[in-house]
Amino acid sequence: DTAVSQTPKYLVTQMGNDKSIKCEQNLGHDTMYWYKQDSKKFLKIMFSYNNKELIINETVPNRFSPKSPDKAHLNLHINSLELGDSAVYFCASSQLQTGRSSGNTIYFGEGSWLTVV
Amino acid sequence: AQSVTQLGSHVSVSEGALVLLRCNYSSSVPPYLFWYVQYPNQGLQLLLKYTTGATLVKGINGFEAEFKKSETSFHLTKPSAHMSDAAEYFCAVSGSDYKLSFGAGTTVTVRA
């Protein structure tokens, strides 16, 4: 069973469209994340939710809106897509918030390749 | 805030040779350090991590890393490269702001 699963894996869409990426984790973790990996493979956190509550929002445009219906799901909705949004988006989860827990490991999904044309 | 610098964006090694990937960190508090691997078109997988205790950390697939506080380094090594080690490797640090900050990544290619 896949621990962190996200869909779709590949998505090609036109500028101006609205799209969503769904993420589910079956690890029983309390914290979920969205990371963006750009064309140079640089990874940067976008959002973090702990038990459905937003705890990190890293200066991401308002066009990006995460939604967490329950602690096992964290979906990412993107409005008015722009060319610069083309990237790989990774969902991830951990038992606790990143950082101060020695047992805390972040588990990543397989990624969603978004191409805006 | 904390950060990591990975020295060398691309490393090429011969099969059977030593793999050495360099990572230096900056953190205002004792850091937690991680190495992740990303195979082509896949997500990130944890190789190993350092939190506290023993400074030499062993991970999966024969990799290990040593935390050296005096050098603010956490270099990753593997004694003998295998073709399957070809991938992107990321060093990451978790510090005082509860975020995991990644380095720019190092691409490893293995020559037959």
Side-chain angles (χ1 to χ4, degrees), chain B:
Chain B
Q2 64 281 342
S3 65
V4 293
T5 302
Q6 291 184 239
L7 302 174
S9 59
H10 190 204
V11 169
S12 180
V13 298
S14 297
E15 193 172 19
L18 171 72
V19 179
L20 170 61
L21 305 182
R22 300 178 187 274
C23 173
N24 288 90
Y25 69 89
S26 171
S27 178
S28 59
V29 299
Y32 292 166
L33 295 157
F34 305 79
W35 275 100
Y36 281 85
V37 61
Q38 183 181 22
Y39 297 104
N41 296 328
Q42 293 188 25
L44 281 80
Q45 180 181 6
L46 182 70
L47 275 177
L48 48 80
K49 65 181 180 182
Y50 168 79
T51 52
T52 57
T55 56
L56 183 61
V57 181
K58 294 187 184 300
I60 62 172
N61 301 340
F63 285 93
E64 62 182 34
E66 187 170 12
F67 171 64
K68 292 187 176 180
K69 184 179 178 181
S70 61
E71 299 177 7
T72 62
S73 69
F74 190 57
H75 302 331
L76 180 72
T77 60
K78 180 174 181 178
S80 177
H82 190 272
M83 297 299 288
S84 61
D85 294 326
E88 191 80 19
Y89 292 79
F90 293 93
C91 182
V93 62
S94 178
S96 60
D97 61 359
Y98 300 94
K99 298 174 191 172
L100 191 63
S101 299
F102 285 89
T106 299
T107 303
V108 172
T109 57
V110 182
R111 305 184 303 272

Side-chain angles (χ1 to χ4, degrees), chain A residues 59-101:
Chain A
T59 59
V60 176
N62 291 337
R63 300 182 294 103
F64 291 79
S65 53
K67 286 184 171 52
S68 182
D70 55 63
K71 73 175 191 177
H73 295 84
L74 180 62
N75 304 322
L76 183 65
H77 188 76
I78 315 171
N79 291 327
S80 304
L81 278 155
E82 301 176 356
L83 292 176
D85 297 332
S86 296
V88 185
Y89 293 86
F90 286 100
C91 180
S93 74
S94 62
Q95 180 59 42
L96 298 169
Q97 288 178 235
T98 311
R100 308 320 295 169
S101 167

Side-chain angles (χ1 to χ4, degrees), chain A:
Chain A
D1 286 344
T2 304
V4 181
S5 59
Q6 50 184 114
T7 57
K9 180 158 186 173
Y10 300 102
L11 180 57
V12 180
T13 188
Q14 290 187 327
M15 284 175 53
N17 284 352
D18 303 338
K19 291 294 178 185
S20 292
I21 306 172
K22 296 185 176 181
C23 179
E24 175 183 7
Q25 54 94 4
N26 63 6
L27 297 167
H29 289 165
D30 286 336
T31 305
M32 295 187 72
Y33 312 81
W34 278 107
Y35 280 81
K36 179 180 179 180
Q37 186 175 45
D38 63 23
S39 58
K40 296 184 178 180
K41 299 197 175 180
F42 185 69
L43 275 157
K44 188 168 169 56
I45 189 168
M46 299 174 68
F47 301 102
S48 173
Y49 270 72
N50 182 259
N51 210 4
K52 300 195 300 175
E53 181 182 348
L54 179 66
I55 53 174
I56 294 175
N57 183 341
E58 280 290 291
T59 59
V60 176
N62 291 337
R63 300 182 294 103
F64 291 79
S65 53
K67 286 184 171 52
S68 182
D70 55 63
K71 73 175 191 177
H73 295 84
L74 180 62
N75 304 322
L76 183 65
H77 188 76
I78 315 171
N79 291 327
S80 304
L81 278 155
E82 301 176 356
L83 292 176
D85 297 332
S86 296
V88 185
Y89 293 86
F90 286 100
C91 180
S93 74
S94 62
Q95 180 59 42
L96 298 169
Q97 288 178 235
T98 311
R100 308 320 295 169
S101 167
S102 62
N104 205 38
T105 295
I106 295 183
Y107 295 85
F108 285 82
E110 295 281 298
S112 294
W113 271 252
L114 172 64
T115 302
V116 183
V117 297

